[in-house]
Amino acid sequence: MDKIVLLQKRKKQLLDAGKGIRADINSLIDEDSFVELSCFSFSKDEFYGENAEGEGVVTGFGTINDYPFYIVAQNSEVLSGGVSKANCEKIEKCLNQAEKTSTAVIWILSTLGVQVGEGVNVLEGLASLILKASQMKGSIPQYLIVNGEVYGQIAVLAGICDFTYLIENKSVLCAASPLVLSAKSGKNLSKFKVGGVEGLVNAHLPTFTVKNFEEIKNSITSINEILALPVIDSEEMNVALPALDKKADAKTILSIFDKNSQIELGKSYCPEVKCFLARIGGIAVAAVVFDAIDGVELTAENVRKIKDFAEFACCYSLPYVTFVNTLGIKSDLSVNGSLVLKELGEYVCMLDCIDSAKVSVVYGKAIGLGYTIFAAKSMGYDYSYAFANSKIALFDSLQGAEIEFSGTDKQIDANKLAAKYSDENSDPVNAAKDGYIDNIIQPSFIKQYLTASLQMLLK
């Protein structure tokens, strides 16, 4: 047979076995930019007696808005996307190339688990694959798309990758079959309630919930531009924000970021703590915004979210900015008996590892531990600012008054004590006069101060 005709026949066979996944890849990348690797790899599943065309996975590289990415995409049309040792070896080969060239990786996963009949071989393959992904964490960005159902050990990758995308009414991510998990819990739940967006709300895994691949492409483009271009020209360096003088809350704080630059991570969980990749005066930053009218109370869950985000900022050398409005640890028995102190301790260790700029802005309250951890100069913040109407104190008003002034004048009622404590002790001037706050500023000028500070601290 003519070799060219044979090649065309084999190529058609391969393409027919992966039309769906290649369509997904093409919807994500620039037109005609995908170059496939190891495309003719195949092995035979002895249990089913079927060929695993392309090892049931498509690997290669392409561009998104002209930026290069390596792509690993499981083909669920071949043995249900079953993971095999050959499958893992093909993926790891792609990861090695990504590591060698310091190129970001996009995972597109869809699998019902390991291929039956592989035995310990597939476990060794998974161990090597998961270790390689872990070794790349923090140096090469990894994006994971749950493109359908993802069950079994490979779901561990969602805990390694920097960004995880769940597609509404499509994505299910579980360490085991959702039917098994539901049955063992004595419930009859749908797969989406077990491993979908709703089921994973407390898992701290979904970075983004999206509707389709177009949203994913736009998101990856925006994130990549932040990471690839730490500084760009901006016309917003000296912009005043008069709305902040009228009302300083989490919503108006977002106006500090350059227009259309902010990307919120982990929006589906712990909404009282918002984590953003954004730009301030053209400079890329990782920013934490505490969102509560009377101040956020710290729990193990929201501290863990902040800690994970601080780790990301550390790994990619992003300036770290906190917009503080917090009361410290929540006074609650369940919180006291939780991992909150351990999480706070680990956060402090991670904060100390950040060698890029660290800036704190107290826009609301910084009470007790909330000040110590998120605003104190002695915690390593390069610059600390406070709004003129903010509050910095050991205790919140009434609690602080009752503790600090109790017994000194029994004729003063609780309300007067609270007022006295607030006026005399909570004014940020007290922290500034001792050198703990660099400047107390009119809120509308905060962007100018932040831009100047970040420029001075750029490395």
Side-chain angles (χ1 to χ4, degrees), residues 229-234 236-237 258 279-284 447 451:
L229 300 171
V231 182
I232 62 174
D233 292 331
S234 173
E236 300 184 46
M237 296 171 59
D258 295 355
R279 293 189 188 275
I280 298 177
I283 300 171
K447 185 162 187 173
T451 301

Side-chain angles (χ1 to χ4, degrees), residues 110-420:
S110 179
T111 176
L112 299 182
V114 299
Q115 289 185 23
V116 177
E118 284 263 330
V120 177
N121 287 328
V122 68
L123 300 183
E124 286 288 345
L126 278 164
S128 181
L129 174 61
I130 292 170
L131 178 62
K132 172 56 68 175
S134 177
Q135 291 170 339
M136 293 166 58
K137 182 177 177 63
S139 59
I140 297 173
Q142 296 183 72
Y143 303 81
L144 188 148
I145 302 168
V146 181
N147 190 34
E149 298 170 82
V150 176
Y151 305 151
Q153 296 182 36
I154 205 164
V156 172
L157 290 171
I160 295 174
C161 292
D162 300 292
F163 310 97
T164 299
Y165 294 87
L166 293 188
I167 303 171
E168 291 178 1
N169 303 316
K170 182 179 182 181
S171 298
V172 183
L173 179 71
C174 297
S177 165
L179 292 175
V180 173
L181 294 173
S182 181
K184 285 194 172 184
S185 66
K187 299 178 180 179
N188 183 20
L189 302 173
S190 71
K191 61 184 180 182
F192 293 108
K193 287 192 176 182
V194 176
V197 175
E198 182 181 352
L200 297 176
V201 69
N202 295 319
H204 288 217
L205 287 176
T207 315
F208 301 102
T209 301
V210 297
K211 294 180 179 178
N212 49 46
F213 267 70
E214 182 179 356
E215 286 189 22
I216 296 173
K217 181 177 182 177
N218 293 335
S219 174
I220 291 176
T221 298
S222 298
I223 294 170
N224 183 68
E225 287 178 350
I226 289 283
L227 298 179
L229 300 171
V231 182
I232 62 174
D233 292 331
S234 173
E235 298 178 355
E236 300 184 46
M237 296 171 59
N238 295 308
V239 174
L241 305 168
L244 286 172
D245 287 343
K246 299 177 182 178
K247 184 179 182 181
D249 58 14
K251 186 176 181 180
T252 53
I253 285 293
L254 300 188
S255 64
I256 296 171
F257 302 139
D258 295 355
K259 290 180 181 177
N260 302 318
S261 75
Q262 66 264 30
I263 306 162
E264 185 175 357
L265 311 185
K267 190 175 182 179
S268 64
Y269 56 93
C270 300
E272 71 278 11
V273 171
K274 301 186 182 302
C275 299
F276 292 95
L277 295 178
R279 293 189 188 275
I280 298 177
I283 300 171
V285 300
V288 177
V289 180
F290 289 88
D291 182 9
I293 295 175
D294 295 320
V296 171
E297 295 181 299
L298 302 176
T299 65
E301 289 75 20
N302 58 33
V303 174
R304 176 61 184 270
K305 181 177 180 178
I306 300 169
K307 183 190 73 176
D308 289 346
F309 187 61
E311 180 182 9
F312 178 85
C314 177
C315 289
Y316 294 101
S317 300
L318 290 168
Y320 184 65
V321 184
T322 56
F323 293 94
V324 183
N325 183 21
T326 178
L327 307 176
I329 297 175
K330 185 176 182 179
S331 298
D332 181 272
L333 280 175
S334 62
V335 173
N336 186 68
S338 71
L339 294 173
V340 64
L341 294 176
K342 182 174 177 61
E343 294 291 355
L344 280 165
E346 291 180 356
Y347 171 73
V348 172
C349 293
M350 182 52 62
L351 188 66
D352 188 49
C353 292
I354 298 176
D355 60 2
S356 53
K358 294 190 285 284
V359 182
S360 175
V361 178
V362 181
Y363 81 92
K365 297 178 180 179
I367 307 298
L369 192 66
Y371 171 82
T372 303
I373 301 292
F374 298 105
K377 293 286 286 185
S378 299
M379 189 56 68
Y381 290 95
D382 299 292
Y383 291 104
S384 293
Y385 298 111
F387 285 5
N389 51 358
S390 65
K391 292 184 178 182
I392 299 174
L394 185 60
F395 303 102
D396 205 7
S397 299
L398 182 56
Q399 181 189 12
E402 290 173 340
I403 293 175
E404 192 133 336
F405 296 112
S406 178
T408 60
D409 187 347
K410 295 182 180 179
Q411 301 303 313
I412 300 178
D413 64 32
N415 290 330
K416 289 183 179 179
L417 281 174
K420 181 178 181 181

